[in-house]
Amino acid sequence: MALVDPIQIAIAAICVASFVLYNSREEILFRSKLLEMRSSVKKLLERRRNSRRKAILSVVELVLFFALIYLAFTMKIFWAVVVSNSMAPTFERGDMVLVQTLFVNPEKGDIVMFERGDLNLPVTHRVLKVEDGLVYTGGDASGPDARPVPRDKIIGEVVTIFGSPVVVKGVGKYFILDATQLRDITPFGQEYLFYKNLIELFRKYAIAIIVISIAAYVYLTVREFTA
């Protein structure tokens, strides 16, 4: 019986071990590459989802922006200055309330703006009841009005959020002309004149400002997508 040389056995063992290790290394590398590919695919899909989401949000923002511009220019929604305290404490003289003319269906408890023949300015009071095509109104502080208002005289309704009207306190005082408080040519002197001129300047260049704003928004959006 021939004896096996121990050196040959050792060499064979080393070859087998090297082969196993080599295959294991190749398998590890293959799995690593596979994981990298999976990670790359996931990142690509996530990037596409984010891009699609950003595109949808940008379109929604643009639609809302143009909708607000349309509503403002067509007076479908606007700010009205309160000139008396008849609705105190809900809102007071010098406040500004948000009024909309899109959906006008006066019901008890609503606050509506309407025209009255004996006054030059519209009145904003609360609806007390609606009966036979007539809207009975009154101020929270002044009480019921003397006569009801026909529905066709209702200009709009005050916008409310969770039952509370949208009010900006005190800003409207700069737009109220009061003959009993006249000082020079305005009720609030140079401060009032400054704000008046500022608003007139904005109205004059409103279209240019809007175009520049839209262009800047589109530029920033495109830049974000291409970054």
Side-chain angles (χ1 to χ4, degrees), residues 41-111:
V41 170
K42 285 183 178 180
K43 289 180 180 179
L44 179 61
L45 293 175
E46 185 66 25
R47 193 178 299 115
R48 287 185 176 179
R49 279 195 293 267
N50 290 337
S51 298
R52 191 179 298 113
R53 193 179 299 115
K54 288 181 180 179
I56 293 173
L57 288 176
S58 298
V59 171
V60 171
E61 289 174 356
L62 279 174
V63 170
L64 290 176
F65 178 77
F66 283 113
L68 289 175
I69 293 297
Y70 168 78
L71 293 175
F73 272 89
T74 56
M75 296 295 288
K76 300 297 183 183
I77 185 168
F78 58 91
W79 291 99
V81 178
V82 180
V83 297
S84 75
N85 289 316
S86 62
M87 281 295 292
T90 306
F91 45 79
E92 301 171 335
R93 176 182 170 84
D95 294 344
M96 295 185 71
V97 294
L98 189 62
V99 181
Q100 60 86 17
T101 62
L102 289 170
F103 309 102
V104 180
N105 183 30
E107 297 178 352
K108 183 179 179 180
D110 292 342
I111 302 175

Side-chain angles (χ1 to χ4, degrees), residues 65 68-69 72-73 79 175 193-213:
F65 178 77
L68 289 175
I69 293 297
F73 272 89
W79 291 99
F175 305 96
L193 189 61
F194 168 77
Y195 287 109
K196 180 175 178 292
N197 291 336
L198 184 64
I199 291 173
E200 289 179 352
L201 183 67
F202 175 78
R203 286 178 176 174
K204 183 177 180 180
Y205 296 104
I207 299 299
I209 293 172
I210 291 170
V211 171
I212 293 172
S213 300

